[in-house]
Amino acid sequence: MALAREDINFENIKCDAKIEAVLNHVISQDVEIAHLKDEQFEMRNEIKMRDETISKLEDNARKEKRWNMLWQNSLEEDINHTQIALLALGVISVLFTFFMSR
């Protein structure tokens, strides 16, 4: 009765409480959205760093493969030269033995 005399409207109080609850919910949603945006930014940075690492590893693999091919070609040339030198020494040795036996 005392409240009725002071013109307190329960409907206004209920409405204000609902508005406050909605505002609290919206604020909490904004905080959650900001948190998710931060996580998304961090994930993008991690993906970018991972992609850069993969790119560097691929470049290193290509360089290593190229170096290995050059090294293999050099070894093959050395083997060919050695075979030619041994063949020449063998021919000289056979000729030397042939002429010495006469």
Side-chain angles (χ1 to χ4, degrees):
M1 293 265 195
L3 293 175
R5 279 184 263 160
E6 294 180 19
D7 290 331
I8 295 177
N9 188 347
F10 286 112
E11 292 300 319
N12 287 343
I13 292 173
K14 286 182 189 177
C15 184
D16 289 345
K18 287 180 183 178
I19 290 172
E20 186 175 338
V22 168
L23 283 175
N24 285 338
H25 181 69
V26 168
I27 290 170
S28 68
Q29 292 295 319
D30 284 347
V31 168
E32 183 67 24
I33 289 170
H35 176 70
L36 291 173
K37 284 183 178 179
D38 289 343
E39 285 185 7
Q40 183 183 26
F41 181 75
E42 289 174 8
M43 289 175 73
R44 283 183 182 158
N45 284 342
E46 288 175 8
I47 290 170
K48 184 188 285 186
M49 287 176 21
R50 184 203 62 187
D51 290 345
E52 289 173 358
T53 301
I54 289 171
S55 176
K56 287 178 184 177
L57 289 173
E58 287 174 345
D59 288 345
N60 287 343
R62 274 190 236 111
K63 288 177 185 175
E64 186 71 23
K65 184 176 180 180
R66 196 174 314 130
W67 173 253
N68 286 340
M69 288 175 61
L70 291 172
W71 182 253
Q72 184 178 5
N73 289 342
S74 175
L75 286 176
E76 287 175 0
E77 287 179 14
D78 290 346
I79 289 171
N80 290 338
H81 290 130
T82 304
Q83 287 174 342
I84 291 170
L86 286 175
L87 180 64
L89 284 174
V91 168
I92 291 172
S93 175
V94 168
L95 290 175
F96 181 74
T97 305
F98 176 73
F99 287 118
M100 288 300 285
S101 65
R102 286 189 154 215

